[in-house]
Amino acid sequence: MADHTQRASLPPSRRAPRLAAGRARALGLPTRGTTNANRLRRVDRWLVATQVARLRDAARPLVVDLGYGASAVTTLELVDRLAPEIDRLEVVGLEIDPLRVAAVAEQRDPPRVDFRLGGFELAGLRPVLVRAFNVLRQYDEESAARAWDTMRGALAPGGLVVEGTCDEWGRRATWVALDEDGPLTLTLAARVSDLERPSDLAERLPKALIHHNVPGQPVHAFLSAFDAGWAAAAGLSTFGPRQRWAAACESLADQGWPLVGPARRWRHGEVSVRWSAVAPV
């Protein structure tokens, strides 16, 4: 089995790799597998707030949780959070490590929740929604871009990939939403009481941005403007850090940054911006 600390790369995607039987070969390397209960609550909260209609409108509301790790806990939490909103929900957890798939076999309850062997090719499934968290940190930027393309190519029509990273306790997270045509938005989310400034989230930026957080690049300008708005709103700290975060988000909007979604999301310690405004140049 590949060592999870190995510097990972994907082969050039000239054509979809296949097994002799015609099934897509699982693409990727195992992650460390570490996870904690409630670690992905921030992205799950965003999914419930923004993606329920997409799933309700689908003929088959299939969700893939890619790289769930050594425990099924965050996959089962995803089911619990989405199921009350979506009839006929199906969630499939995919892992590239067969031992991890075997370890959670008792948690299977298909079609509501299942666990299978698979990687970025999504095991031949055609999901409406993919949650892929903490699976690309070990890859170089070029390979991460190919993984994006592979996942997008496996989506059902109108589907969405949500790819991101978070710390081990889920207090700091960023993610990108991508449809079949490419990236749409970047979202930052945090327990804002733990932040000194919004740019503390830079260490959690997706692979496509993390090495571009330098002067002259749009994402650096965005985080710098966010920090400036945060500093200007310091007087609101007496009302709580969420008030200060919301004020900093409002300053971004006032400066013309194309924020996405209702302002009420800001009070959750969350903000989304159009990808085109932060993409590398």
Side-chain angles (χ1 to χ4, degrees):
M1 184 180 356
D3 180 356
H4 67 73
T5 63
Q6 177 182 343
R7 185 67 173 175
S9 63
L10 292 176
S13 53
R14 294 184 179 89
R15 63 178 62 184
R18 308 299 256 179
L19 290 176
R23 292 178 291 110
R25 176 169 62 86
L27 290 176
L29 290 175
T31 63
R32 290 184 302 164
T34 55
T35 192
N36 290 295
N38 227 19
R39 184 184 186 187
L40 302 185
R41 63 193 179 279
R42 297 188 189 281
V43 65
D44 288 355
R45 183 168 59 196
W46 181 84
L47 292 174
V48 171
T50 66
Q51 301 305 314
V52 163
R54 185 187 303 270
L55 288 163
R56 284 177 177 166
D57 290 344
R60 183 188 180 193
L62 174 62
V63 178
V64 162
D65 183 25
L66 181 63
Y68 55 83
S71 163
V73 61
T74 53
T75 303
L76 298 175
E77 288 174 345
L78 179 62
V79 175
D80 288 343
R81 288 163 179 157
L82 288 177
E85 307 293 334
I86 300 154
D87 293 335
R88 304 174 292 104
L89 176 71
E90 299 178 44
V91 177
V92 177
L94 294 182
E95 255 297 340
I96 202 166
D97 184 344
L99 295 180
R100 293 177 185 171
V101 179
V104 299
E106 292 185 356
Q107 306 292 333
R108 296 178 65 243
D109 182 23
R112 184 172 186 266
V113 60
D114 201 359
F115 298 93
R116 303 181 192 177
L117 186 68
F120 297 122
E121 82 302 328
L122 307 184
L125 298 170
R126 299 282 285 172
V128 177
L129 182 66
V130 177
R131 184 184 72 177
F133 248 67
N134 304 308
V135 296
L136 287 177
R137 297 292 286 181
Q138 61 186 331
Y139 290 86
D140 58 65
E141 186 174 345
E142 182 180 353
S143 294
R146 286 201 293 272
W148 273 8
D149 290 344
T150 301
M151 290 187 288
R152 291 191 300 107
L155 288 171
L160 194 77
V161 174
V162 180
E163 186 273 311
T165 66
C166 66
D167 65 8
E168 291 195 355
W169 300 105
R171 294 174 179 173
R172 300 181 181 186
T174 76
W175 58 85
V176 178
L178 312 98
D179 67 6
E180 60 185 3
D181 295 321
L184 300 171
T185 58
L186 169 71
T187 299
L188 311 181
R191 179 177 175 179
V192 294
S193 60
D194 288 349
L195 296 178
E196 184 175 343
R197 59 182 66 87
S199 62
D200 290 349
L201 286 162
E203 65 184 13
R204 295 294 160 186
L205 286 172
K207 185 64 69 171
L209 291 178
I210 195 166
H211 300 302
H212 297 277
N213 183 29
V214 294
Q217 288 286 347
V219 69
H220 184 271
F222 176 74
L223 290 174
S224 296
F226 207 170
D227 282 351
W230 176 262
L236 293 175
S237 296
T238 55
F239 301 102
R242 291 189 181 188
Q243 291 281 86
R244 186 180 181 184
W245 174 277
C249 292
E250 186 173 2
S251 75
L252 289 173
D254 290 344
Q255 293 173 57
W257 289 97
L259 304 187
V260 179
R264 64 177 178 271
R265 302 298 309 162
W266 302 344
R267 298 191 183 278
H268 293 287
E270 178 189 297
V271 66
S272 297
V273 62
R274 293 199 184 282
W275 177 260
S276 58
V278 295
V281 297

